[in-house]
Amino acid sequence: MKHLFTSILFLGILWLAACTADKKTEQDAAEPSPPLNVQLVCEATSEDPDTPQNGVFMIVNESKTKIANINACDKINPSDYATYDIPKEAIIAVGGWWAGAGDYFYVLRQETSLTVYHAQVDEEQEVEGYRYLPTVSYRDGRFNFDLE
């Protein structure tokens, strides 16, 4: 009889633990995810002034990945976004012009993900303006370069 009572008590404790874990999971799912610290960073990869080279890196919280190699690269101020056809909702933007061509990047947040848009501009292009295309996304702690 003592063995039966111990077994029932043990099963009851397991059942209570399982119910408590389910409630915690439901609460966790309802809580909003913490804000993401997002940066686009330009890092010089060459010191040659005749042919500058820069890596463009996306940093999300503690994760960093290289998204492109371009010639000229600087941060673009939000007050200049309209000049480069960058939406005012963009979190951050970088880019630059060198020897008749330029590359420009900006990041948009869409609910639970981030997307980097890129435009290549050339002084001899037939269509004026910046034609941005999605190139990199970030979701659930992972970078994705397959956006086509």
Side-chain angles (χ1 to χ4, degrees):
M1 185 74 156
K2 185 176 176 182
H3 184 61
L4 178 64
F5 177 75
T6 306
S7 296
I8 292 172
L9 181 62
F10 179 72
L11 289 174
I13 291 171
L14 284 177
W15 179 77
L16 282 173
C19 290
T20 304
D22 286 344
K23 288 180 183 178
K24 186 176 181 180
T25 304
E26 290 171 11
Q27 287 175 344
D28 290 345
E31 294 176 13
S33 57
L36 299 173
N37 178 17
V38 181
Q39 299 176 55
L40 285 180
V41 178
C42 303
E43 293 181 8
T45 57
S46 167
E47 299 297 323
D48 182 0
D50 295 329
T51 314
Q53 291 293 307
N54 291 273
V56 179
F57 293 86
M58 182 178 187
I59 303 171
V60 181
N61 295 336
E62 301 299 320
S63 299
K64 178 179 179 180
T65 194
K66 188 177 206 176
I67 61 173
N69 287 309
I70 62 175
N71 293 110
C73 189
D74 286 303
K75 183 177 178 187
I76 299 172
N77 292 319
S79 59
D80 295 326
Y81 283 4
T83 303
Y84 299 99
D85 293 339
I86 297 171
K88 64 183 176 199
E89 297 83 21
I91 297 170
I92 191 164
V94 298
W97 185 266
W98 176 260
D103 288 277
Y104 301 91
F105 300 86
Y106 68 85
V107 178
L108 282 182
R109 183 184 313 265
Q110 294 94 10
E111 297 195 21
T112 60
S113 66
L114 302 165
T115 303
V116 178
Y117 292 83
H118 174 226
Q120 291 180 309
V121 183
D122 187 291
E123 66 186 3
E124 295 187 22
Q125 70 187 32
E126 294 180 17
V127 179
E128 273 192 47
Y130 301 81
R131 301 178 78 194
Y132 289 96
L133 298 172
T135 58
V136 179
S137 69
Y138 180 88
R139 185 181 181 131
D140 299 327
R142 299 179 148 231
F143 293 96
N144 179 11
F145 288 83
D146 252 347
L147 299 187
E148 293 178 27

